[in-house]
Amino acid sequence: MVHKFILRRLLMMIPVLLGVVLVTFTLLYISPGCPARNRLGEQATPEAIIQLRAEMGLEDPFIVQFGRYIAGVVTLDFGNSFRTDQPFFDEILIRFPTTLHLAGMAVVLSLLIGIPLGIISAMKQYSWADAGATFLGLLFVSIPNFWLGMILLLIFAVELGVLPSLGWSAGVGTEFSNWHHWILPTITIGASAAAIIMRMTRSSMLEVVRQDYIRTARAKGQTPFKIIFKHSLKNALIPVTTVAGLQFGFLLGGAILTETIFSINGVGRFMMQAILNRDSPVVLGVALLLAFTFSIVNLLVDILYAFIDPRIRSQYR
Amino acid sequence: MTNVNPQKQMSKEAMAPEKFAGTKRLDRFMEVWRRFRRNPLAVAGLVMILLMGVLAISADWIAPGTEFDPGYDIQNLPARLVRPGDTFNTGFLDDYGNPIYESVGIFGTDHLGRDMLGRIAHGSRITLLVAFLVVTISMTLGVTLGAIAGFYGGVSDNIIMRVIDVILAMPTILLAITIAAALDPGLHTIIIAVGVGAIPGYARITRAQVLTLRDQEFVEAARSVGANDFRLIRKHILPNCMAPIIVEATMGLAGAIASAAALSFLGIGLAPPTPEWGAMLADGRRFMLAGEWHMTVFPGVAIAMIIFSLNMMGDGLRDAFDPRLRSAGFSKKRFKRQLQAIEAKKAGAKEV
């Protein structure tokens, strides 16, 4: 049954991804600016521009261009970047690991901070610890992460001068040795995610500890430790998993601002430059990649549910 | 919490339902307001938002414009990049031949010698306007779509929710950037770019609410006396699902402010010299590594503060609308009290 469920979900992704491409394609189609002129420069003659446009296939009707792109995607050909003329696939392979690393680290950080704080906050509701954690949680949800990044840079790179302000790309084997390069971006992205996860853990725990089975556990004299970690947390973590999955997908795309601030050569910054340059294949490719990753992560979260929650597991038997 | 005698309440409704319809709504509002008022964080948020409104109204008084320049774009090059508390050399000499130094506004000046406080005050107008318009438009569209999808179900539900899925599958900020790049720059572009990404939230909440309400008896009753679909949705269903929508809208104001600031920060929002807070941060970033901290700190504090206040208010509203999550908890004292209550009940039952 489970593989049937997964297969159905994978098939359901197709129209969504098609929709994403259609929306992005239409937006790019109506965008002002001409990629051919960008490549040839301001002095290019109109004839040369028209000729290059024809070569790039930009003179064809909308539906032909769209069909051509979809046909390419089906054969895993995402086209070449208008700017560098390199295949999109090669370009993204340089940058995706960086962003993946950043988002992954941020999610790990946010789970490590958010879940314990959320548990403490819920268990000691209305205590000073709860008030403090709730306040901090709300504060970090509210601080725009690009501003947080700038403030961290001001403190650690400008005033204290202990950490470098820019330049980092993930290399195999150097993920941990050059931590001083990625620690600030990770905190920048992870802080708001940690706050969101903390808030979610807290409200979810509060919901769970009101259930009858918790009262039963307490009435039969179960130790508080076991009640918190075995009876409550397991049930409370289900919505937290969803949020963490959503956050991971969100961070992949949302890293755009952080990558800009820290001058990190990742997917977000790549996308940003591509949009400004009207580099359609890159914009389309990144949009598709992010939507795909987002959908896959959501699917994985749903599958993970089954491992955490036997009630859901039994539905798919 | 409610010590209203249920019998008394019922007789009141039975006596004159029409006459008391308005009062009932007011009562509900007062009830929510009473709970909201007791939450200090929420009230603090409301007060801070009101203060921000005052700042926006008094912007022309804080930084009056001249005949040629609006209040936010009065340049004074000798006073460029003056930090708060510092003075600058005006270039003039006093009667004894000493240079005249002058102080600047409490937030310092930017790279063109413009007063940061004045710019932030003028910027609050744009921020509040954008946030309000984004939420109004996206809420109207989202609620309408969600209500249609939830009420009619079937094909319309399928189509609407698949479109919503597409929007959800694209990271909000990237969607906003792509839209903003496709349209010509201006206020309307920011509003559309930010607003489209906010529609799914309202649509999903409304749909979920409508789904739980549409088959209830009061809807059936209204239908049986001849109310058409539009009236059913507008008069009977939507008023009953406003609470989560209002909470989402409050949080949506915060989200819209953050997204608009992000767009301007990336340089695809409003063109200079508009004092949009995000654009001011982008200016600040250019001078940040040179140590001009005030250009980065103050606009950011303004953004964070208003988002923080809105979120506090949103949290407060949620608790006020739905007080279930407050009270009780995991404390030993409360648990003992609960057990005692159960014991007492049992004892009482035995006695009877």
Side-chain angles (χ1 to χ4, degrees):
Chain A
M1 263 326 246
V2 177
H3 58 269
K4 229 176 192 173
F5 164 75
I6 295 173
L7 194 69
R8 209 184 66 215
R9 285 286 301 265
L10 284 174
L11 286 176
M12 269 166 66
M13 272 168 60
I14 294 174
V16 170
L17 293 180
L18 211 60
V20 168
V21 175
L22 181 65
V23 170
T24 319
F25 200 92
T26 314
L27 284 171
L28 286 167
Y29 190 78
I30 62 171
S31 289
C34 168
R37 179 184 290 276
N38 282 349
R39 203 200 274 183
L40 292 173
E42 287 297 318
Q43 268 90 46
T45 58
E47 293 79 22
I49 289 174
I50 288 173
Q51 199 192 342
L52 186 62
R53 277 183 69 88
E55 276 173 32
M56 290 159 95
L58 293 171
E59 294 285 295
D60 297 332
F62 175 84
I63 193 76
V64 174
Q65 289 189 40
F66 183 67
R68 195 188 305 130
Y69 184 75
I70 293 295
V73 169
V74 170
T75 56
L76 291 182
D77 171 20
F78 294 90
N80 291 2
S81 160
F82 282 166
R83 209 164 58 93
T84 59
D85 215 20
Q86 296 292 311
F88 167 77
F89 220 80
D90 298 356
E91 297 252 8
I92 206 72
L93 272 183
I94 308 169
R95 294 169 174 92
F96 198 53
T98 311
T99 302
L100 210 59
H101 177 263
L102 213 55
M105 281 293 173
V107 166
V108 169
L109 181 82
S110 64
L111 290 175
L112 285 180
I113 295 173
I115 292 182
L117 276 184
I119 294 172
I120 293 170
S121 191
M123 291 303 105
K124 306 269 177 203
Q125 200 186 6
Y126 301 130
S127 68
W128 280 106
D130 177 35
T134 315
F135 183 82
L136 277 182
L138 200 58
L139 187 68
F140 277 99
V141 167
S142 305
I143 293 178
N145 61 10
F146 59 101
W147 186 59
L148 181 65
M150 288 166 78
I151 293 298
L152 287 176
L153 271 183
L154 262 180
I155 295 171
F156 290 101
V158 179
E159 294 297 326
L160 300 178
V162 289
L163 291 169
S165 64
L166 44 88
W168 172 65
S169 69
V172 177
T174 62
E175 282 91 350
F176 293 98
S177 58
N178 56 11
W179 61 271
H180 52 276
H181 276 288
W182 54 255
I183 191 77
L184 286 186
T186 305
I187 294 173
T188 303
I189 304 179
S192 62
I196 290 169
I197 285 173
M198 178 253 142
R199 283 161 59 88
M200 197 67 222
T201 311
R202 177 176 183 272
S203 65
S204 174
M205 280 296 269
L206 285 178
E207 188 99 37
V208 167
V209 294
R210 273 176 189 60
Q211 301 296 321
D212 290 341
Y213 55 82
I214 300 296
R215 189 189 299 161
T216 309
R218 295 183 75 173
K220 76 173 186 188
Q222 183 63 281
T223 59
F225 181 85
K226 272 201 168 165
I227 293 178
I228 293 174
F229 288 97
K230 252 193 114 174
H231 298 257
S232 313
L233 193 60
K234 259 177 118 177
N235 290 295
L237 275 185
I238 294 168
V240 177
T241 327
T242 320
V243 173
L246 281 175
Q247 278 298 310
F248 183 71
F250 173 77
L251 293 180
L252 278 179
I256 186 164
L257 287 150
T258 314
E259 286 176 3
T260 306
I261 288 162
F262 291 94
S263 307
I264 293 168
N265 194 13
V267 174
R269 199 149 150 260
F270 189 43
M271 175 84 160
M272 184 67 210
Q273 287 164 349
I275 289 175
L276 295 180
N277 289 323
R278 307 281 176 251
D279 195 344
S280 313
V282 172
V283 179
L284 282 165
V286 175
L288 195 57
L289 177 75
L290 290 178
F292 179 73
T293 321
F294 186 73
S295 308
I296 289 285
V297 169
N298 276 344
L299 177 60
L300 288 179
V301 166
D302 282 357
I303 296 171
L304 204 65
Y305 266 13
F307 280 101
I308 304 177
D309 194 341
R311 285 172 302 188
I312 298 172
R313 190 162 54 214
S314 63
Q315 278 174 21
Y316 292 106
R317 281 262 159 77
Chain B
M1 182 174 280
T2 50
N3 46 12
V4 185
N5 186 351
Q7 218 172 359
K8 200 175 153 196
Q9 205 181 24
M10 248 171 68
S11 63
K12 208 176 175 185
E13 277 170 26
M15 263 160 44
E18 276 305 312
K19 200 177 156 193
F20 283 98
T23 336
K24 228 168 89 187
R25 188 174 289 174
L26 194 72
D27 277 353
R28 245 188 95 192
F29 173 77
M30 289 310 287
E31 175 74 24
V32 169
W33 166 245
R34 211 161 48 81
R35 282 196 291 258
F36 182 84
R37 212 175 43 186
R38 261 194 247 134
N39 185 344
L41 279 182
V43 175
L46 181 65
V47 169
M48 271 157 74
I49 293 160
L50 291 178
L51 284 178
M52 204 61 90
V54 172
L55 184 73
I57 293 169
S58 56
D60 274 326
W61 178 75
I62 292 170
T66 64
E67 207 178 317
F68 310 103
D69 289 312
Y72 53 79
D73 194 28
I74 296 173
Q75 302 184 4
N76 181 12
L77 289 179
R80 57 194 298 275
L81 294 176
V82 181
R83 294 175 197 179
D86 283 1
T87 53
F88 70 97
N89 187 341
T90 52
F92 295 107
L93 300 176
D94 65 9
D95 295 347
Y96 305 99
N98 300 319
I100 297 177
Y101 286 89
E102 266 182 24
S103 59
V104 293
I106 52 166
F107 289 171
T109 58
D110 70 0
H111 58 297
L112 295 171
R114 298 175 295 197
D115 180 39
M116 293 288 290
L117 175 64
R119 279 176 73 72
I120 288 176
H122 278 279
S124 66
R125 292 182 172 184
I126 302 169
T127 302
L128 293 177
L129 181 73
V130 167
F132 182 74
L133 288 177
V134 163
V135 167
T136 311
I137 295 170
S138 57
M139 185 169 72
T140 312
L141 283 172
V143 168
T144 311
L145 288 174
I148 293 172
F151 190 80
Y152 292 105
V155 179
S156 55
D157 181 28
N158 245 324
I159 294 174
I160 290 173
M161 291 328 279
R162 288 300 83 75
V163 174
I164 297 288
D165 281 349
V166 169
I167 300 177
L168 273 178
M170 303 171 81
T172 328
I173 188 75
L174 284 185
L175 181 68
I177 292 169
T178 321
I179 296 175
L183 309 173
D184 35 275
L187 200 63
H188 60 282
T189 301
I190 294 202
I191 290 164
I192 296 171
V194 176
V196 169
I199 293 174
Y202 300 103
R204 293 189 120 186
I205 290 174
T206 312
R207 177 176 174 271
Q209 291 280 316
V210 171
L211 276 179
T212 63
L213 290 171
R214 67 168 183 195
D215 294 327
Q216 290 203 3
E217 277 153 8
F218 69 92
V219 179
E220 198 69 20
R223 199 197 305 270
S224 66
V225 294
N228 62 20
D229 288 355
F230 181 65
R231 191 182 161 81
L232 277 181
I233 294 175
R234 197 171 52 95
K235 282 273 177 190
H236 298 272
I237 295 180
L238 280 189
N240 281 304
C241 47
M242 278 326 277
I245 295 173
I246 291 172
V247 173
E248 171 81 6
T250 316
M251 305 285 194
L253 286 171
I257 290 172
S259 299
L263 281 185
S264 300
F265 179 76
L266 290 170
I268 40 180
L270 297 164
T274 321
E276 217 284 335
W277 291 342
M280 291 174 72
L281 277 181
D283 283 340
R285 183 171 173 244
R286 284 162 53 205
F287 297 94
M288 188 176 70
L289 294 182
E292 303 293 346
W293 56 271
H294 63 285
M295 281 180 71
T296 302
V297 170
F298 295 120
V301 168
I303 299 176
M305 245 174 69
I306 190 157
I307 296 178
F308 185 51
S309 329
L310 284 166
N311 281 337
M312 280 202 294
M313 211 178 107
D315 270 8
L317 277 176
R318 178 181 299 155
D319 288 345
F321 279 127
D322 182 14
R324 269 178 316 158
L325 283 186
R326 298 184 66 82
S327 79
F330 201 71
S331 81
K332 272 191 179 148
K333 255 192 230 159
R334 275 208 190 83
F335 180 60
K336 266 184 193 157
R337 220 182 295 150
Q338 273 181 5
L339 280 186
Q340 277 165 4
I342 294 171
E343 292 290 324
K345 228 187 209 171
K346 268 186 198 162
K350 264 178 202 166
E351 271 170 37
V352 172

